[in-house]
Each structure stands twice: as C-alpha cells, then as structure tokens.
Amino acid sequence: MPSADHDLGPQNLGRPAVTVTREPRDRSPEHAEPSRFLPHVQGLRAIAVMAVVLYHFWPARFSGGYVGVDIFFVISGFLITSHLMRELSATGTVRLGQFWARRARRLLPASLLVLLFCAVVAMSPYLTPTSALPNEVREILASTFYVENWFLALNSADYLNHSGDPTTVQHYWSLSLEEQFYVMWPLLMLLAAWIGVKWFRGARRRAVISTLAVVSVISFVFCVVFTITNPAPAYFVTFGRMWQFGVGAMIALVPMLRVRNAIGSFVLGWAGIAVLVYTIFQFDGQTPFPGYMALLPTLGAAAVIAASNADRWWYPTRLLSLRPAQFVGDISYSLYLWHWPLIIIAPSVPFWGLTIYHRLALLGLCFLLAWLTKRFVEDPVRGWKVLTSRPARATLWSSLGAMIVVALVAATAWFVNAPAYNAGFRAIQQLQEDPPPCFGAASILDPDCATADFGDEILPAPGFAGIDRPQMGDCFVQLTDARPVSCTLGSDDPDAPRVALIGDSHAYQLISTFDRIAQEEGWQLVTWLKGACPWSTTPLATPGAFGEACTQWREAVTAELARADVDAVFTAAIATTPYSSAGYDSSYDAAVAGYVEAWDEVLDRGIPVITVVDNPVWETDPNKCLRTRAQSECVGARADVLVADDPLREAASQREGVTLLDFTDVFCDGEMCQPVVGGANVYRDQDHLTVTFADTLAPWYAQALRESLAGAAP
C-alpha cells in the first residue's frame, strides 16, 4: 500500500492515488475520511490527462479536451483536503513543513527535469526560433517558481503576444496554480480550525467545512463575473479556480456526498462520465470558459469521485480500476509534463513531418518518456533517505537550490543567444531600410523583375521572422479595451491629405509600411486599430467581454470618424473573423452587410475607401517548416490556407467609391501558396505578414491611395 506521500495527487497530472480505509465502528460517520488509494480516482486521472493530451494533438477532434485540467483540480481538492483533514482531526494541527516537503519531493523532480530540458532546448537556435527566445526564457523562469499562471494572466489580453506559437512551458500554468493551492489551502484550513476551537466550542470540522464552502462560493461568483468581464486572464487567475478545488473538498469532508448505494453509485458514476465526454467533444474555443460553463466538467468529475460503490464489474468505479486506466493514471503527471514541449519542438526537428503517423509516433514517445520519468525520477526521489530522514527544511532548501539551477540554465540560454538575437534585429532594420532590387512582391508585380531569382535565400531568416513586426503597440487596442485610441503619424503639415487606417491586426500589420508611405508622400496617417475587431457593424460571434468591447470600440470610432477630417480610409481584416449570423442567412452574408454598412458612413460624405483581400492564413507558422526544410516543402495548398470567399471582396463589389486590392497572385499560384516570395519571408507567424514583406507591397498601396485621393479631390 502506498504511503501517504503517494496518495495526494497534485496538479493536473497524475499522482498515484488514494485509498479508502473504513473507520472503527466506535467513530461517528462524520469523521470518516477517504484514505489512501482509490482506484477509480486514479482512473479518473487517466480520463483527465488523455483529454488534455488528445486535445493538444488533435484540437479539432477533441475541442473541449482542455477541461481535463478542471478534472484534475477537483481531484486535487478531494485528495489534499482528505489528507489535511485526517491530520487535523488526529493531531489538532497540520505540520506545514512536512506537508510542503512531501509535495516538493512528489512534484518538483519531474517538473524541474522537464524545465531543464526546455531550457537546454532554448539554447539551440535549431530547435527554438531566436525571435522566440526572450519569451521562452521568461516563461521558463515563471514556471520554475510556479507563477506561470500569473505571467499568462497579466499578458493574456495582449493580442500582439498571442499571434505566434506558445512556449514549451505554457502548460505549467495549471501546475503553478495548483502549487499555490497547496500553499493556501492548509493555511485556510488551519485558520478555520483555530476559529472553530476558539469561538465555536471546538467544532473544528464544521468550521473547516463552512469556511471552505464560503470561499468556494465566493470564488465561483468571482469566476463567473470575471469570465464575463475579462475572460482572457480569468482562465488563469488563482482565485477564479479555487471553487473547483472546493467542490472536491466538499466530497472529502461531507460523507453523505459519497454515494455507496449500488444503484445510486451506478447512475451517478455513469452520469458523471457522460458529462465529461460531452464537454470533451462539445466544448470549444467559443465556449465562455471557465465561468458558469466550468460547472459541467467540475460536477462531472465530482460525480465520478462520489460514486464509490464498486460491487459489479460494469460499475464505472470498477472499469476505471482496470489496469490500462491505472497505468495511465500512474504516469499522468509526467505525461502532462512531457507532451506539450514535444508537440512544440517536433515541427522544428529536421525530417519530422506532421502526418498522422508522425503524431502517433510522437504520442508514443510521450508515453515512453512519462513512464521512464515515473520509474526513474518520480518514485526514487520521493523516497530519498537523504531528504526523508532529515527535517522538512532540508527538502525545502534543496528544492529552492534545484529551482535556482534551472533558472540559471534558462538565463544562460538567453546570454548565449542574445548576441545573435540583437544582430538579427539590426539586420532586419537594415533590410527594411535598404532592400535588394526586385525583392518580395516586386518579383511578381513588377514586369521588370520577371527574371529575378533569389535561390534559397530567405530574408529575414526564419528564426528571426517573429520579431519582424510593427513596433507601435501604443496604437493598437487590446481585446477587452473599448477605447478609440488613435495615433497620428506621417506629415505634421495641417494641410496635408489625411489617410485613415482602420481595422484589426491585419490592418495593424501595415502600420509601419503606411507610416513610411505617408512620410514619403507628405500625407498624414491617422489610425484606429483593435485586435480581433474589424471595421464593421456586424457583431462578432465571440461571446462576453471580447465581443462587447469590439462593439463599443466600433461605435466610438464611428463617432470619431464623423468628427475627423479625413480624405481617404484604408481598412483590412482577417477573413476568418467569426461574425454573428443573426438576421442573415449565413455569417458570410452578415459579414458582407456589416462592411458595407460601416463604409457607407464615410462614402456618403464623399470619402473613398480602399480595402484589400486578406492574405492566406496557415494552420501553423510556416517558419517552423522553413527552419528545417527547403522552401518547396513548406508550401500550402491554396484550398487549405486561402479563404476563397473573402467577404471584403464581395462588399467592395457592392459599392462604387471602394477600391479593392487583391494580392492573391502574389501569395499563391493556381494551386499552392508560398511562404517565401522573391526572397522575402512573408509571415512572422501563421497569419501576420512581416513588416519586411509588407514594405515590398508599398508601391501598390501608395498608388491606390494616390488614385483615391485624386478622385476625391474637389
């Protein structure tokens, strides 16, 4: 039978499990605590980790697999509260040092091993794009000291930081949150127990239950409200998740919630599994989450834990106890740790593809590494006598020392590559100031460049494309911000023609190019730009604060435009924007109508509108392919990456006074789209253009603007 150290599964991922011992008959049932190994809870861990892993491997098929993390929160609340309450009932206190030391020996060895691996990978420019290095190092440091969830919460509303690939350690947000739970929860229970003894005649248990229940209710209300008002950080904030641990805690503390009746346990267990399966396959990125929707996976997991009767083989408690489920539950912690870094790194490995066979092989490798880590790291270190035979502070100081070592390796990754990072940044600036002739779009659009051949040259290099972005973030409004922030660039002459640039991030990607055009042409450029919010009157399908902020921003921009003295308006938008179809036959029709209605506001005043068909949108950043493969191997099928029916094209056809630019033939031929055109690296991520490439389109943007301004002149 495993020791108490074994039964407390931490974070999302699998700890060994917990068992139940029957209390002596002379003790009242309210003191019965679930103890040690519970096979069906271990099997529930298997469901949780496989939901997360399969979601990350095949997000379209397992669109709600992210709820696996919520399942783990409930499991941890149940197990940790059970353990703490047993100790509190038996001794009147909790030895915090011993508790935290056991947690450290259980969790840190595997966690720090994977972080060390990620830090070493970050040193290699072959496996980590140099442009991604600063963020990679910052998140490794945040994960090492278990504040990754707060790092992501503070940066989650920054649309510009979400346009590339996530780091290898982004999944540590849930471990960070759970470590914070391990610190706060025993302190909360101790405080409640002290209050019960001092003021409620020793009713220690009732005080603990009442306190945790109140905290959980407040946490749930906070979660619902914060998800509505600020959904991006709400996903990561610690207090917004405490109620999920609290649900597990209530099952541990209130015996009547643990159903031992055969029929009741059968129905409850299978109902819980059905709810979990439903959420894994039916939830998706549009589900307002966590919020009130998190009740479904949370209560589903709680139902499975509460169904404790295992008399028949067809009961869920028995099926979750089968050997395969137990094996996956055993390695779930390490499987969670390893799977995400390997998914992020794999596309950068030479000769590694993205076929179904490669993904299955990678999944198998994740299982192998998880088992090896469990067998040779997790289990041995947990029982090291050099730590277990000494006071708890020996473990805690050793843990801090190991964390500092990992942090130093991560810092070394930055110092080793910082010169290359800075040199790459300077090279991009020089390239933009003095591009080679017939570079980029000119190789397609300029008849004099028909024979231009750049061979295998790619500028900027694939490892640096991610930093080739506009450096005017103050002119860009983030997701939940509705302020009509405006920037004025270009000429200072009050009589200069004024061009407005309005739209989402696909308009913002042109701001540096348009600033340069305005300076060269003697124009003034005024901008209104907001992440994921094109200039339209049709509401987004995105629920909650994102959609509401977009609507408010548009109304404010319309009011600003009515007062502004502009001579032409240029707008761009990503073609895959999710529009609400309410009142229309389709979201496409709604999008077209919204653009036309927004443009009519200025067209009716005689102000011309110029727009552009959207560039291709790739499933993943093509630079990952370009760093390890030939250009010819990194092309994308036109049908896969190009939206055939961009609503901007149809909207432009419905109004005179609208000029439509279509550079599709620059990006694509009849069948394939290219990530490199005329030696220029087209993309800095999966859908945003590099400033370098956008600059090569400048002559054609400028020509369209000149013609529109000339046509609008009185």
Side-chain angles (χ1 to χ4, degrees):
M1 177 176 290
S3 69
D5 276 339
H6 295 208
D7 59 30
L8 308 174
Q11 132 26 331
N12 332 340
L13 296 341
R15 317 326 173 229
V18 201
T19 50
V20 172
T21 56
R22 297 190 179 276
E23 294 294 330
R25 292 186 178 181
D26 60 343
R27 298 195 63 183
S28 59
E30 70 265 23
H31 296 293
E33 301 291 355
S35 166
R36 305 229 160 69
F37 189 72
L38 293 174
H40 75 287
V41 175
Q42 192 75 329
L44 183 60
R45 277 202 185 102
I47 293 177
V49 75
M50 289 309 299
V52 174
V53 171
L54 293 176
Y55 166 65
H56 287 152
F57 270 90
W58 293 281
R61 291 185 175 88
F62 302 90
S63 58
Y66 54 80
V67 302
V69 172
D70 303 77
I71 299 172
F72 277 117
F73 290 161
V74 178
I75 294 173
S76 290
F78 172 73
L79 298 179
I80 294 301
T81 305
S82 300
H83 170 81
L84 292 172
M85 197 65 218
R86 283 197 303 272
E87 184 175 355
L88 195 57
S89 298
T91 67
T93 188
V94 172
R95 292 173 296 175
L96 293 174
Q98 290 292 344
F99 173 77
W100 289 330
R102 284 196 300 269
R103 295 294 83 223
R105 290 195 298 270
R106 174 66 184 90
L107 303 177
L108 263 61
S111 174
L112 295 181
L113 172 66
V114 175
L115 287 172
L116 187 63
F117 168 79
C118 293
V120 172
V121 167
M123 289 187 191
S124 169
Y126 298 102
L127 296 176
T128 300
T130 306
S131 61
L133 186 63
N135 213 40
E136 186 76 28
V137 171
R138 281 193 291 265
E139 291 200 30
I140 290 175
L141 293 174
S143 299
T144 299
F145 295 100
Y146 289 99
V147 291
E148 171 71 352
N149 65 313
W150 287 105
F151 179 90
L152 293 177
L154 293 173
N155 291 278
S156 59
D158 187 351
Y159 186 88
L160 299 180
N161 281 338
H162 280 270
S163 53
D165 288 304
T167 66
T168 57
V169 298
Q170 194 172 88
H171 63 316
Y172 270 73
W173 76 267
S174 57
L175 287 91
S176 299
L177 192 153
E178 203 154 335
E179 290 295 336
Q180 294 156 29
F181 160 74
Y182 294 143
V183 172
M184 293 185 294
W185 209 248
L187 294 174
L188 194 60
M189 292 181 66
L190 277 175
L191 175 63
W194 178 77
I195 292 173
V197 169
K198 190 169 183 65
W199 282 298
F200 296 99
R201 299 180 181 179
R204 182 184 291 120
R205 185 183 192 86
R206 285 197 297 275
V208 169
I209 293 174
S210 300
T211 300
L212 297 186
V214 169
V215 169
S216 298
V217 169
I218 296 174
S219 170
F220 176 70
V221 173
F222 172 84
C223 177
V224 171
V225 173
F226 201 36
T227 299
I228 294 172
T229 59
N230 221 353
Y235 194 82
F236 305 107
V237 169
T238 305
F239 189 66
R241 297 288 193 153
M242 283 294 104
W243 67 276
Q244 296 179 297
F245 296 96
V247 169
M250 291 302 106
I251 301 173
L253 296 174
V254 182
M256 68 176 59
L257 295 179
R258 298 193 294 276
V259 179
R260 295 179 174 84
N261 173 271
I263 296 177
S265 182
F266 173 83
V267 172
L268 187 65
W270 280 116
I273 290 177
V275 167
L276 295 180
V277 171
Y278 172 82
T279 59
I280 290 169
F281 286 98
Q282 296 301 316
F283 280 19
D284 57 25
Q286 298 302 312
T287 303
F289 204 87
Y292 64 91
M293 295 300 288
L295 274 171
L296 281 179
T298 301
L299 296 180
V304 175
I305 295 173
S308 55
N309 189 296
D311 289 345
R312 299 289 185 270
W313 69 265
W314 58 83
Y315 286 12
T317 47
R318 288 284 290 274
L319 294 177
L320 289 175
S321 302
L322 295 177
R323 187 175 297 248
Q326 295 298 294
F327 172 75
V328 176
D330 285 345
I331 66 169
S332 58
Y333 181 51
S334 290
L335 181 59
Y336 181 84
L337 291 172
W338 279 113
H339 85 283
W340 183 248
L342 296 184
I343 288 174
I344 297 300
I345 295 167
S348 299
V349 176
F351 311 114
W352 189 269
L354 295 175
T355 67
I356 182 65
Y357 304 106
H358 287 102
R359 296 192 185 205
L360 289 174
L362 188 64
L363 182 60
L365 179 61
C366 293
F367 272 87
L368 176 61
L369 286 174
W371 176 78
L372 291 172
T373 304
K374 174 72 166 57
R375 174 70 177 80
F376 296 105
V377 177
E378 287 189 57
D379 291 346
V381 175
R382 189 167 51 218
W384 272 1
K385 288 187 177 180
V386 68
L387 296 177
T388 57
S389 62
R390 286 174 168 78
R393 61 178 176 270
T395 294
L396 299 177
W397 281 112
S398 298
S399 299
L400 178 60
M403 294 163 74
I404 291 174
V405 169
V406 173
L408 290 175
V409 175
T412 301
W414 166 248
F415 287 116
V416 167
N417 291 282
Y421 179 89
N422 294 328
F425 191 83
R426 290 192 297 270
I428 289 173
Q429 291 179 317
Q430 294 171 2
L431 174 65
Q432 292 169 3
E433 293 170 2
D434 186 23
C438 295
F439 183 58
S443 66
I444 304 294
L445 298 175
D446 189 341
D448 295 334
C449 295
T451 60
D453 184 7
F454 287 85
D456 294 329
E457 186 175 25
I458 304 176
L459 299 173
F464 292 96
I467 60 175
D468 191 2
R469 61 176 63 203
Q471 303 299 313
M472 303 179 188
D474 291 342
C475 301
F476 188 81
V477 178
Q478 299 295 343
L479 297 177
T480 56
D481 191 343
R483 296 174 300 131
V485 173
S486 176
C487 287
T488 302
L489 308 169
S491 174
D492 294 330
D493 184 351
D495 296 325
R498 299 189 79 203
V499 176
L501 176 64
I502 309 176
D504 60 11
S505 63
H506 279 214
Y508 174 74
Q509 70 185 357
L510 304 175
I511 188 172
S512 297
T513 301
F514 275 48
D515 180 29
R516 185 169 300 181
I517 293 172
Q519 293 181 36
E520 293 174 353
E521 298 286 341
W523 301 334
Q524 192 173 91
L525 178 69
V526 58
T527 68
W528 287 280
L529 304 160
K530 176 173 169 56
C533 186
W535 182 37
S536 169
T537 60
T538 300
L540 301 180
T542 309
F546 287 173
E548 181 60 28
C550 181
T551 298
Q552 294 174 8
W553 177 82
R554 289 168 170 174
E555 293 172 351
V557 169
T558 298
E560 293 274 337
L561 267 176
R563 295 189 295 267
D565 181 18
V566 299
D567 300 293
V569 175
F570 189 100
T571 186
I574 187 169
T576 55
T577 300
Y579 284 108
S580 170
S581 60
Y584 296 91
D585 292 337
S586 67
S587 60
Y588 173 81
D589 293 333
V592 172
Y595 288 131
V596 170
E597 187 175 352
W599 299 346
D600 282 345
E601 296 281 344
V602 295
L603 290 172
D604 291 344
R605 294 160 52 195
I607 301 171
V609 173
I610 307 97
T611 190
V612 60
V613 174
D614 194 28
N615 54 261
V617 174
W618 299 64
E619 181 181 0
T620 187
D621 185 354
N623 285 288
K624 291 201 282 190
C625 177
L626 291 170
R627 286 169 52 229
T628 58
R629 297 170 181 81
Q631 296 179 32
S632 59
E633 298 181 46
C634 298
V635 297
R638 183 175 175 132
D640 293 336
V641 302
L642 186 67
V643 175
D645 298 318
D646 188 338
L648 281 172
R649 181 186 282 111
E650 175 60 27
S653 71
Q654 295 186 12
R655 288 292 185 272
E656 293 184 9
V658 176
T659 299
L660 178 69
L661 299 177
D662 189 348
F663 297 120
T664 300
D665 291 341
V666 175
F667 300 107
C668 311
D669 57 27
E671 296 182 356
M672 309 300 292
C673 296
Q674 313 294 327
V676 180
V677 174
N681 195 335
V682 177
Y683 300 95
R684 59 179 168 87
D685 55 37
Q686 61 265 33
D687 67 282
H688 293 99
L689 304 179
T690 60
V691 172
T692 296
F693 183 79
D695 282 351
T696 70
L697 290 166
W700 291 271
Y701 288 131
Q703 179 181 347
L705 289 167
R706 279 194 298 268
E707 292 174 353
S708 293
L709 288 169

